[in-house]
Every structure is written in structure tokens, then in C-alpha cells.
Amino acid sequence: MPKAPSKKRHGAAAQSSPYAQAAAKTKAANSIFKMNTDLGQHVLKNPGVAQAIVAKADLKQSDTVLEVGPGSGNLTVKILEKAKKVIAVELDPRMAAEVTKRVQGKPEQKRLEVLLGDVMKTDLPYFDVCISNTPYQISSPLTFKLLAASPAPRVCILMFQREFALRLFAKSGDKLYSRLSVNAQMWAKIDHIMKVGKNNFKPPPAVESSVVRIVPKNPRPQISYEEFDGLLRIAFVRKNKTLRSNFLGTTSVLDLLETNYRTWCAQNDIPVEDGPAETETNAMDGVDEPSKDEEELDGGMDIDDEDDVPDFFDSAPTQTSRDNPSRKKKGKVRELVREKVRQVLEDDTDLADRRTRMCDEGDFLKLLWSFNQRGIHFS
């Protein structure tokens, strides 16, 4: 009589292994409904990657962890194994229900709090650590919201689109060095942890991903974020140009700085002498235009980041042509501001001919201090 076929031993072992069981549960959870990719829903389906991300957070049993976009809970359940509590902020009610269901009737249920809503509009409660498979649409605003949290979290382990992650920790001289790089590194120490391929998600995103570790500086730098960011907005409008060109080469920048200077004088009861200047001036006088080869350096003169461009650059020309110069009668205050800017760039810092992409954090701090000393502000 023929015997019924039996499963091979290694097959049974594979079916009963913890890794296989976790993968099966993940597959079931991910197939319940269609993901909304417009909301950045790309569920991390690889339990090995989820485990590695949690391990990099070096969680303590007393930690409260903020998770942004828990999805179906694949990362959440790993965090709950190590932390005291998880606060999960989820925009999609379906996902919020799913992650709640994952721990229903289990001891972990009491340690999971799900907040339904947009994390950018949510007043966040206290948390020690943030771990997130971040919806890529909110990468930048979420990063700075976390850095602005008070008290600051001990560490943030965040999944980002690969290029955004590279920009976060890019150094001066790198092709991806940007205003984002300087701002983020001013307030935190940032390290790259691991690359994550698109096939580790369901549905797969169009781009590769990376995980970064962000450790906020403690204590925080004692400078105004608005002032520092305002200076960077001007400096990085054309990051391959010199600081002289970016600060003195456009009437729009000088208009802004003159307005800010007048406001500062009014606030400090400092009289200003209005009236026409003695001579006609050109916005580009004294500003050397770069050669064609210099303009093409590292990808040309493209604006650093579209979202980073100050509003007053949207419709204003970036420079006045030498072939058809626009000469106007300038006031005495404008000429005073222009001279102050020149003094900062040439005399105080000796950075006039330094290209923005080659300036580091220390250079920008030196610029900000020198501008402020001469009454020039950026917010």
C-alpha cells in the first residue's frame, strides 16, 4: 500500500521558524487593502530590515517611542518588543485600525497609543526616541519638527528617500550639499545607517531608500533659526556662485536687506538719513561674473532646491545684464546697506570670493555674526 507523501524535514522547519511566521503575518497584513501611494504608503515588508532599524535605535525598556506612519504595524510590533510605550501617528484610518488590530488582546495593547491625524498638524506628546518609515512627502518638515521638539528626543532613526538622505549629511564641496545640509547639521549630528532596496516595500517605491540616525545637539546652538535660515536662503540661491555675487548681485536681495535694516533701525531708535545717493549705481557694480566654465562646475548654476528659493526670487531676475544695465537713482540708505554688505564679505570675513558650496558651518556662522554686528538681519 503506497504511503502518503510526507513533507521534508527542512521544509517543516522553515514553516515553523520565527522568521517565516513573521513574514507570513506581514504578507497577510499587507494584502488586506490597497495602499495609497499618494500618502506615501509603502509598507516595509522585510522583518529583517525592521529588526535592524529598531536595533540601531538602542532602545531602553523605559523609552517612549514616537512612530510616524506605522502602516500595518510591521515596525511597530518590533519596537514594542524593546520599548515601554509606542505613540503611533497615522493619517489613514484604515492603517490606524490595522495597527491596533495587530496587538488587540495582547499585553502590548496597553503600551500602544494610536493618534489619528496629520503629524505635521499634531501637537506631539513627550517621547524619547523617534523611529519612522517616513512618508517621503513630509521628509523635510518632519525632520525639522523633530529637531524643534522640546525636550529634544535622544535619537531619531528615520527612513528617507536615498537622495534626500544623502543631502542631509552632505558636506561642503559635495554635489548634493545644500541649504538643507547646513540647516540639519547645525542642529543635529547625522549619520547614514543602511541602504534599503525598493523590493523591501509593498508596493515598491520608485526610488531607493536609506536609514539615517539623527542625534539632536544638546544643548541646542544659541542662534536664531529664522536668522540663520534667512542667510542660507540667499547664499544658496545659486550655490556655485560666489557670496559676493549672491549678496550684491541682485537688486531683490539688496531690497530685502534694506527693508530689514530700516526695521532694525526703527526698533533700536537709530535715525536713518533718507534721500537720493550722490551717484548712480548698478546692482552688479563690483561683482565679477563667473566664466562659462565656472558656471558649468558641478552641474551648472541651477537653483539649489526649488522649495528653498526665497519668495522674492520667484519673479525677480537673478542678475542685471552688463549689456543692458538697469541704472536707477538709489537712496542713501541703500548705498549704506550695500557698503555694509561689502565690508562684511571683504573686510570682516574675507569670504567674498568663496563659492557657497565650499562654505562650511563655521563660515556661515561667521557671516551671520558679522552681518548682525553691522545691523544687517535676515528675519
Side-chain angles (χ1 to χ4, degrees), residues 160-171:
F160 290 128
Q161 177 181 339
R162 177 78 49 81
E163 183 173 336
F164 180 85
L166 293 175
R167 288 173 58 208
L168 268 182
F169 56 82
K171 302 300 181 184

Side-chain angles (χ1 to χ4, degrees), residues 115-171:
L115 302 179
L116 183 61
D118 184 346
V119 67
M120 298 311 303
K121 300 177 182 177
T122 301
D123 292 330
L124 299 177
Y126 172 83
F127 61 97
D128 301 290
V129 176
C130 178
I131 300 176
S132 171
N133 175 18
T134 311
Y136 294 159
Q137 297 94 322
I138 62 169
S139 294
S140 184
L142 176 62
T143 297
F144 288 99
K145 178 164 186 167
L146 294 174
L147 290 177
S150 183
R154 186 174 73 249
V155 64
C156 301
I157 307 294
L158 307 177
M159 180 99 71
F160 290 128
Q161 177 181 339
R162 177 78 49 81
E163 183 173 336
F164 180 85
L166 293 175
R167 288 173 58 208
L168 268 182
F169 56 82
K171 302 300 181 184

Side-chain angles (χ1 to χ4, degrees), residues 43-338:
V43 173
L44 180 63
K45 67 179 184 179
N46 188 330
V49 174
Q51 188 69 52
I53 290 173
V54 174
K56 294 296 183 180
D58 194 21
L59 294 177
K60 302 175 182 178
Q61 292 183 346
S62 59
D63 281 339
T64 295
V65 178
L66 173 72
E67 184 185 9
V68 179
S72 58
N74 299 335
L75 192 54
T76 313
V77 294
K78 298 292 184 183
I79 301 172
L80 284 168
E81 293 174 1
K82 301 290 185 180
K84 177 182 178 181
K85 181 180 180 180
V86 173
I87 301 170
V89 184
E90 176 56 61
L91 182 62
D92 189 339
R94 303 174 305 161
M95 289 293 192
E98 181 59 29
V99 71
T100 302
K101 190 186 301 182
R102 291 286 293 272
V103 297
Q104 194 168 12
K106 300 178 181 179
E108 293 88 347
Q109 182 176 358
K110 295 181 179 180
R111 297 190 287 115
L112 173 64
E113 178 183 355
V114 178
L115 302 179
L116 183 61
D118 184 346
V119 67
M120 298 311 303
K121 300 177 182 177
T122 301
D123 292 330
L124 299 177
Y126 172 83
F127 61 97
D128 301 290
V129 176
C130 178
I131 300 176
S132 171
N133 175 18
T134 311
Y136 294 159
Q137 297 94 322
I138 62 169
S139 294
S140 184
L142 176 62
T143 297
F144 288 99
K145 178 164 186 167
L146 294 174
L147 290 177
S150 183
R154 186 174 73 249
V155 64
C156 301
I157 307 294
L158 307 177
M159 180 99 71
F160 290 128
Q161 177 181 339
R162 177 78 49 81
E163 183 173 336
F164 180 85
L166 293 175
R167 288 173 58 208
L168 268 182
F169 56 82
K171 302 300 181 184
S172 59
D174 292 348
K175 187 173 182 178
L176 291 177
Y177 188 58
S178 65
R179 169 180 157 232
L180 171 69
S181 313
V182 184
N183 261 330
Q185 293 171 44
M186 169 57 67
W187 306 101
K189 182 178 183 296
I190 305 173
D191 299 306
H192 183 265
I193 294 179
M194 69 175 81
K195 298 178 181 179
V196 182
K198 61 181 71 175
N199 291 331
N200 290 288
F201 300 88
K202 183 175 181 180
V207 295
E208 302 292 334
S209 303
S210 283
V211 180
V212 301
R213 179 193 291 109
I214 299 177
V215 180
K217 292 180 180 178
N218 189 14
R220 286 190 173 99
Q222 297 301 304
I223 64 170
S224 164
Y225 172 81
E226 290 76 15
E227 276 281 293
F228 190 65
D229 183 60
L231 180 144
L232 295 181
R233 282 177 177 269
I234 295 174
F236 275 96
V237 161
R238 292 288 191 275
K239 69 179 181 181
N240 290 323
K241 278 191 175 183
T242 63
L243 292 172
R244 184 199 307 275
S245 181
N246 283 331
F247 281 90
L248 291 174
T250 67
T251 56
S252 299
V253 169
L254 291 172
D255 286 344
L256 173 71
L257 297 183
E258 180 185 351
T259 299
N260 289 353
Y261 179 71
R262 287 178 178 275
T263 301
W264 179 79
C265 288
Q267 292 173 341
N268 291 275
D269 296 324
I270 298 175
V272 294
E273 184 179 358
D274 278 312
E278 296 180 359
T279 59
E280 293 181 345
T281 61
N282 186 317
M284 290 297 291
D285 283 348
V287 179
D288 295 328
E289 291 192 36
S291 67
K292 183 177 180 181
D293 290 339
E294 290 173 330
E295 289 184 356
E296 293 176 351
L297 188 63
D298 276 356
M301 301 299 290
D302 291 340
I303 289 174
D304 175 45
D305 298 296
E306 289 184 3
D307 292 339
D308 291 347
V309 180
D311 293 339
F312 55 82
F313 277 93
D314 289 347
S315 58
T318 57
Q319 67 181 41
T320 303
S321 170
R322 287 186 180 274
D323 297 331
N324 184 24
S326 175
R327 295 185 176 273
K328 299 179 180 179
K329 286 282 188 180
K330 300 299 181 182
K332 292 182 178 180
V333 177
R334 163 61 66 86
E335 289 307 300
L336 175 62
V337 168
R338 181 182 177 82

